[in-house]
Amino acid sequence: MMHLYPICICILVSSIWTSVGVNAEEEECPSMADAGSLQQTQLIQRLTHVCRYDRLERPFEYDSDGKRLPIVVKTRIYVYFLQNLNSDLLQFKMHALLQLRFQDKRLAYKAFNRSDNILGQKHLSERLWLPHIFFANERESSILGTDEKDVLTSLSPEGNVIISTRMQASLYCWMNFQKFPFDQQFCSTVLESWMYNTSDLILEWEPHTPISFDPEMRLTEYNMAQFWHNTTIVESDGDNLRHGAFAGNYSSLSFTVNLKREIGFYLLDYYLPSMMIVAISWVSFWLQADASPPRIMLGTSTMLSFITLSSSQSKNLPKVSYIKVSEVWFLGCTFFIFGSLVEFAFVNTIWRRKENIELKKVNSKYIIKSTLTPRPARRQIGGSLSNESRARSCSSLDNIVSSTESVRNGNGTVNQGFNNYLTVHPNLPIIRTECAEADTVSICSARTNNDHIVDVDKDKKDTPPTFTTMTPQEIAMWIDRRSRFLFPAMFLAFNALYWTFVYVL
């Protein structure tokens, strides 16, 4: 009896150890025999138990030759908010729903007589293997709201996993402003695989409507003309560290939107006001040339107003080295405002001259030439009347009376004209001349104070040219009158060239 007692003790301990080992094994790898009657949480816990499922290992699939194939992840994006482009930072903000779909046969439970889909939030996705996808051109990104309500996980009986995530991202977009504000921008969203190269994971767009936009989405400054999507391969090596230290080819997806800028705001708030400012600067042409304070104030105020207007619309643009279309308009309008100031300085300088100016003809060529290089004295006109002195004059401006003669009367008084003086020796006869030029012959009749008429016929080539005398005030008024029509005509021509260039470009 004493010998049987240790044997019984050993058998009892062995049986207890065996039962404990069986229970431990059952707890370590739970059975799927009653999977049809389990709750969804219990079913997921058993399917993703460490004895059956490793969330660090990607789903496996083999071909007919037994070669392991890469997993294919189908992608779809639904954009329900797209913010206007931030031109200064070269980025835009997007709110979207990103959906990833792939098949993991380790999670299939159709064989356990269950046909209902399993839906969960982030706590379900944390138990599953997920592809590592990131935005390659992101500045920052985050999941909207709380983690629980903005991540939806769906699992089908065949093992199809769908991960839907509401997220926001600020994405980089290179912009070209040469045609601003008539530009159009092409902004892309690039998704890449982060951990797995093409031998392990391939990204593909969904075959039906991979990119969709909220029909209620509106942009204030831009109009989305079109969009398209691409599938590419990105090569990573030792020099390109966008994927860390991992080298290889990585799958990449991208979609691009074409955004055209709406010009209505710039027409009403920039172009029309700038036209009005330029037109206001022309008011100085109706003021007298010696009215320095109002003309200077008008020119400087319009110049400062236009510079303020231009700086306000360009302060949000990056400082680029090339010339924009808006800057061409700015330079053109500045030229016309500055030209009105230069015109005032020119006519004011002429107005203050004391000497009369002699012109061969009253036209733009001779007036401008004579004002820029005035003759110091009136040209002496020689003639065949060597024993007589004569004075000649013609009218200067249309509808402007300008006296260019001074005649001494018998009583010694002098009839003076408008800032025009001519001295005649008292002992010489007074001669009034009237000239009529024919094609080849110049006929002049001269009447002396003794009423003796002398007729002179001579070929035109031997007759000295006839000169006209204009006062500085008359020339200044003449330039102002021409400027009233010249500046608007040049500005209309500039407008025609500018808008033609914009639409052709």
Side-chain angles (χ1 to χ4, degrees):
M1 296 295 295
M2 294 297 295
H3 295 282
L4 294 175
Y5 181 75
I7 296 174
C8 293
I9 295 297
C10 291
I11 294 173
L12 180 61
V13 171
S14 177
S15 62
I16 293 174
W17 178 258
T18 302
S19 62
V20 171
V22 171
N23 292 334
E25 183 179 359
E26 290 179 355
E27 290 180 2
E28 182 178 353
C29 189
S31 174
M32 298 294 296
D34 57 346
S37 60
L38 295 177
Q39 297 179 354
Q40 288 188 354
T41 302
Q42 295 175 335
L43 179 60
I44 288 298
Q45 290 177 351
R46 293 192 181 186
L47 286 174
T48 58
H49 198 273
V50 293
C51 67
R52 297 187 177 92
Y53 190 85
D54 185 4
R55 66 183 304 267
L56 298 180
E57 184 179 4
R58 71 177 179 85
F60 55 87
E61 188 174 352
Y62 301 90
D63 58 6
S64 57
D65 298 333
K67 182 180 179 180
R68 193 170 183 178
L69 299 176
I71 183 173
V72 178
V73 179
K74 301 288 185 179
T75 308
R76 175 183 285 125
I77 290 183
Y78 176 77
V79 180
Y80 54 88
F81 174 77
L82 191 64
Q83 193 179 38
N84 283 332
L85 304 182
N86 190 334
S87 302
D88 189 19
L89 299 178
L90 299 179
Q91 67 181 19
F92 68 99
K93 183 177 291 186
M94 178 184 68
H95 293 185
L97 177 65
L98 176 63
Q99 186 181 91
L100 304 176
R101 180 174 65 90
F102 59 93
Q103 187 177 29
D104 192 348
K105 293 183 178 180
R106 297 173 297 178
L107 300 175
Y109 54 89
K110 187 176 181 180
F112 304 115
N113 298 323
R114 297 193 64 133
S115 59
D116 55 332
N117 294 331
I118 298 178
L119 301 177
Q121 296 177 347
K122 188 178 181 181
H123 67 277
L124 176 58
S125 63
E126 289 178 346
R127 304 183 65 93
L128 308 179
W129 174 90
L130 298 178
H132 295 75
I133 308 297
F134 74 102
F135 290 101
N137 61 330
E138 72 174 3
R139 294 288 181 87
E140 61 179 358
S141 63
S142 61
I143 298 177
L144 291 173
T146 62
D147 293 344
E148 288 295 327
K149 75 173 186 178
D150 289 288
V151 177
L152 176 63
T153 305
S154 174
L155 180 62
S156 69
E158 293 79 12
N160 294 320
V161 182
I162 300 178
I163 307 295
S164 300
T165 306
R166 292 178 63 247
M167 60 188 309
Q168 66 177 1
S170 296
L171 304 175
Y172 171 78
C173 177
W174 173 249
M175 306 176 192
N176 190 338
F177 297 99
Q178 286 185 340
K179 300 180 182 179
F180 175 84
F182 308 95
D183 57 326
Q184 55 179 335
Q185 306 299 339
F186 300 90
C187 295
S188 300
T189 301
V190 183
L191 294 91
E192 293 184 12
S193 173
W194 168 250
M195 181 180 296
Y196 301 99
N197 56 26
T198 53
S199 61
D200 296 327
L201 185 145
I202 296 178
L203 292 176
E204 293 182 358
W205 289 111
E206 288 281 3
H208 302 291
T209 62
I211 310 295
S212 56
F213 295 87
D214 186 358
E216 301 298 327
M217 185 182 69
R218 296 291 185 273
L219 297 176
T220 57
E221 191 175 351
Y222 292 89
N223 180 26
M224 188 171 63
Q226 57 181 343
F227 64 92
W228 58 89
H229 55 84
N230 295 314
T231 302
T232 56
I233 301 296
V234 177
E235 182 179 358
S236 179
D237 51 19
D239 297 330
N240 183 5
L241 298 179
R242 63 189 300 165
H243 293 85
F246 300 99
N249 297 327
Y250 291 82
S251 182
S252 175
L253 301 178
S254 65
F255 73 94
T256 305
V257 293
N258 180 16
L259 301 176
K260 293 184 177 181
R261 193 185 300 270
E262 296 287 347
I263 65 172
F265 168 80
Y266 295 94
L267 287 177
L268 296 177
D269 285 49
Y270 178 61
Y271 284 97
L272 289 181
S274 60
M275 291 180 186
M276 296 176 64
I277 291 175
V278 173
I280 290 173
S281 67
W282 300 336
V283 176
S284 63
F285 301 148
W286 274 264
L287 301 178
Q288 196 164 324
D290 61 343
S292 299
R295 295 189 72 162
I296 292 177
M297 184 186 66
L298 188 62
T300 54
S301 61
T302 52
M303 176 67 77
L304 294 176
S305 299
F306 181 69
I307 292 176
T308 304
L309 176 66
S310 300
S311 61
S312 64
Q313 65 87 23
S314 60
K315 64 181 180 181
N316 294 326
L317 297 178
K319 297 175 177 59
V320 295
S321 58
Y322 50 82
I323 297 178
K324 301 185 287 290
V325 173
S326 60
E327 292 175 342
V328 175
W329 177 265
F330 169 77
L331 294 175
C333 294
T334 305
F335 170 79
F336 283 99
I337 298 176
F338 180 74
S340 64
L341 285 170
V342 173
E343 192 272 348
F344 158 69
F346 183 64
V347 298
N348 184 262
T349 303
I350 296 174
W351 183 278
R352 290 183 284 106
R353 289 181 182 176
K354 298 183 181 300
E355 297 84 3
N356 295 339
I357 299 175
E358 292 185 349
L359 307 173
K360 187 176 181 180
K361 291 183 181 179
V362 182
N363 55 30
S364 303
K365 174 183 176 181
Y366 293 103
I367 290 179
I368 300 299
K369 182 178 179 180
S370 300
T371 53
L372 293 177
T373 57
R375 294 179 176 85
R378 185 173 181 175
R379 177 177 296 182
Q380 299 296 328
I381 302 176
S384 60
L385 302 176
S386 57
N387 297 327
E388 297 177 355
S389 299
R390 54 181 183 165
R392 310 179 61 179
S393 67
C394 301
S395 61
S396 57
L397 291 176
D398 298 338
N399 300 326
I400 297 179
V401 179
S402 175
S403 301
T404 59
E405 296 179 355
S406 295
V407 181
R408 184 177 298 274
N409 298 330
N411 55 6
T413 61
V414 179
N415 295 329
Q416 298 181 353
F418 178 70
N419 293 336
N420 225 338
Y421 303 94
L422 178 63
T423 303
V424 181
H425 197 277
N427 297 327
L428 297 178
I430 303 302
I431 302 174
R432 298 179 182 270
T433 63
E434 296 179 358
C435 299
E437 295 184 358
D439 293 338
T440 58
V441 180
S442 177
I443 304 174
C444 296
S445 63
R447 183 181 301 272
T448 65
N449 55 350
N450 298 324
D451 295 333
H452 177 68
I453 299 177
V454 179
D455 295 333
V456 180
D457 296 338
K458 198 170 185 180
D459 294 337
K460 186 176 182 180
K461 62 181 180 179
D462 297 331
T463 303
T466 302
F467 284 85
T468 301
T469 301
M470 292 182 65
T471 63
Q473 291 75 18
E474 290 174 338
I475 293 179
M477 290 187 292
W478 184 91
I479 294 176
D480 275 340
R481 284 201 302 272
R482 294 303 185 273
S483 300
R484 297 171 192 172
F485 300 98
L486 179 62
F487 273 72
M490 292 176 60
F491 189 68
L492 290 177
F494 169 72
N495 272 269
L497 291 176
Y498 178 81
W499 294 106
T500 302
F501 171 76
V502 164
Y503 286 104
V504 170
L505 184 64

